[in-house]
Amino acid sequence: MAAQKKNLEQLLNDLESIVANLGAAQVPLDEALSLYEKGIKIAQSCQSVLEKAEQKIAWLSATEQEPSDEDE
């Protein structure tokens, strides 16, 4: 079964959890590096989601400003 894509809120919760784990306890170096790598991947996913949302907003704004055939 394919993994479901997480929404931005879920990704941010995962990222917050990683930050809390890294900051709260003495984490062995290998585990800390693994958590850091996972955090970077999650941050990149968040950036991608935000970029797609920005593109959609720009597209919607552009189409809203185009004159329709009825306006002429």
Side-chain angles (χ1 to χ4, degrees):
M1 182 183 287
Q4 269 189 317
K5 281 191 171 185
K6 292 186 175 186
N7 65 31
L8 183 61
E9 291 77 16
Q10 292 168 325
L11 290 169
L12 290 173
N13 285 336
D14 291 348
L15 193 54
E16 287 176 5
S17 176
I18 288 172
V19 170
N21 286 336
L22 287 172
Q26 294 293 331
V27 179
L29 180 60
D30 58 337
E31 186 178 342
L33 289 172
S34 178
L35 286 170
Y36 181 80
E37 182 178 10
K38 185 176 179 182
I40 292 296
K41 289 178 182 178
I42 292 171
Q44 290 170 339
S45 294
C46 289
Q47 184 66 35
S48 177
V49 169
L50 291 171
E51 287 172 357
K52 286 177 184 175
E54 185 176 292
Q55 290 171 354
K56 186 170 186 175
I57 290 169
W59 179 81
L60 289 170
S61 295
T63 57
E64 188 175 280
Q65 294 175 0
E66 292 178 3
S68 67
D69 291 337
E70 295 173 2
D71 292 342
E72 295 177 10

